[in-house]
Amino acid sequence: MNTHHDSAFTVALVNTKGGVGKTTLCANIAAICADLGQRVLIIDADPLGSISKYFKLSREAPTGLSSVLRRRTIDAAVISNTTIANLDIITHDGEMPGALIELSAQFQCAFALEQAISSLKRNDFYDLVFIDTPGAPGLLQDLGIVPADLLVAPILPETLSVSEVGPLLNLLRRYELGAPNSRMSAVPCKAVINRATPTTSARQITSELRSQFLVSRGRFTLVNTIINQAVVFPNASRLRDAVHRIEPGPNDQIGPASTALHALVAELLPHLYDRLNPESTESQS
Ligand SMILES: Nc1ncnc2c1ncn2[C@@H]1O[C@H](COP(=O)(O)OP(=O)(O)OP(=O)(O)O)[C@@H](O)[C@H]1O
Ligand SMILES: [Mg+2]
């Protein structure tokens, strides 16, 4: 599956805009994958540290991302365990400001996290790594994007938010121009409409987003699954749990937000598709 090294398949949640649902989707997609039996590691590259606080921890490592960046390796000393089996996290720890200052003076600083993830051999540790990135340009955003095999960009279905696709494409282009022969030129970016409401003019926004496909020479695509605005998302985050674990569904069935999240996982990571509950994917089609 992995195209550039033998380590875990790496997904980064990105957008040049804040508040679009990067952390929310990162946490919920990662938790679904863990519950599907994948060994999953989340890395918190956002200085707000939102995803570090998202899940309850059963064991907290003495340090986190600062140590990863300083040593350019990932080992047990930096990995915290969440209370969800198979779901671990490298937190955005208190030493990050110092570690970033040290790192920024180093050669190829933007590659430090990629190097560390490469030290994780897939057979030994994780199947999937999810990186939550900040919604603003800078070294942390670079650190999160460079190791990715897949970029996932949540987009709010509002005119203003859709117009942010331009800056997002510019961001991708910046990596291509900065290192034209690097594998970054081929990493796909999949946009997901998040927080859709019945009032949203979904068709117009969808066609606007799809038109970006040609502009981006095929690197940018829009997934079919739409994530609706639902109170279960903030509720799950308040309970520090995943949506699919708390959402009540009718008659023992999976709930609507969980159904959409499962469908999203199936679209983003088709190799996990067979493990999904067939009923949940059928109801989306
Ligand atoms: N589908 C949804 N339905 C309802 N609320 C949502 C949904 N997705 C996200 N939210 C809420 O929107 C807010 C912003 O989401 P989130 O923190 O995930 O965005 P972000 O892109 O990570 O923001 P930042 O750039 O600040 O890190 C949160 O309060 C979250 O609970
Ligand atoms: Mg966030």
Side-chain angles (χ1 to χ4, degrees):
M1 190 69 209
N2 194 290
T3 50
H4 70 293
H5 45 58
D6 188 30
S7 50
F9 189 83
T10 303
V11 182
L13 277 287
V14 294
N15 200 314
T16 49
K17 195 173 158 60
V20 292
K22 296 180 294 294
T23 302
T24 303
L25 292 187
C26 187
N28 283 290
I29 295 170
I32 285 180
C33 292
D35 278 342
L36 288 169
Q38 297 287 294
R39 296 161 304 169
V40 180
L41 176 67
I42 294 172
I43 299 177
D44 189 355
D46 184 347
L48 297 177
S50 319
I51 209 157
S52 297
K53 292 168 238 150
Y54 191 99
F55 293 109
K56 294 176 196 141
L57 301 181
S58 57
R59 191 189 73 90
E60 193 170 353
T63 179
L65 188 56
S66 67
S67 176
V68 172
L69 298 179
R70 283 183 167 132
R71 298 187 292 126
R72 299 198 182 203
T73 189
I74 293 175
D75 55 25
V78 299
I79 294 171
S80 297
N81 307 123
T82 74
T83 51
I84 297 179
N86 297 325
L87 185 61
D88 294 341
I89 183 161
I90 295 177
T91 60
H92 204 94
D93 62 284
E95 290 206 31
M96 275 301 293
L100 282 176
I101 290 169
E102 289 163 30
L103 184 64
S104 58
Q106 289 172 22
F107 179 62
Q108 295 209 318
C109 56
F111 291 82
L113 188 55
E114 182 186 45
Q115 216 174 315
I117 291 172
S118 301
S119 73
L120 273 177
K121 291 294 168 224
R122 193 150 174 253
N123 290 341
D124 298 338
F125 281 101
Y126 296 101
D127 302 299
L128 290 164
V129 172
F130 288 91
I131 307 175
D132 189 27
T133 71
L139 179 54
L140 274 167
Q141 194 179 61
D142 292 345
L143 284 165
I145 289 178
V146 167
D149 298 300
L150 170 67
L151 301 170
V152 175
I155 295 193
L156 301 187
E158 301 155 358
T159 317
L160 260 178
S161 179
V162 172
S163 69
E164 288 290 322
V165 173
L168 186 59
L169 288 175
N170 289 341
L171 179 75
L172 300 182
R173 262 185 223 120
R174 189 160 65 77
Y175 289 97
E176 286 176 32
L177 295 172
N181 298 321
S182 85
R183 50 161 219 97
M184 268 312 291
S185 316
V187 172
C189 181
K190 298 195 178 179
V192 184
I193 294 181
N194 183 35
R195 300 192 74 164
T197 61
T199 56
T200 308
S201 168
R203 198 183 302 165
Q204 187 199 338
I205 285 156
T206 305
S207 72
E208 268 182 56
L209 284 170
R210 292 211 193 284
S211 70
Q212 303 290 339
F213 178 79
L214 287 178
V215 179
S216 73
R217 299 189 304 280
R219 279 191 67 196
F220 180 93
T221 50
L222 177 65
V223 300
N224 292 318
T225 308
I226 290 177
I227 305 295
N228 288 329
Q229 171 145 314
V231 73
V232 71
F233 286 91
N235 282 350
S237 139
R238 211 171 303 119
L239 293 169
R240 304 184 70 196
D241 210 339
V243 164
H244 75 280
R245 286 174 158 244
I246 67 144
E247 185 181 44
N251 310 322
D252 283 345
Q253 300 246 314
I254 183 169
S258 313
T259 302
L261 286 165
H262 276 91
L264 181 60
V265 170
E267 259 195 276
L268 296 175
L269 301 164
H271 63 290
L272 305 184
Y273 185 82
D274 294 344
R275 295 180 182 223
L276 294 179
N277 176 353
E279 282 174 29
S280 69
T281 49
E282 271 165 26
S283 59
Q284 277 288 303
S285 55

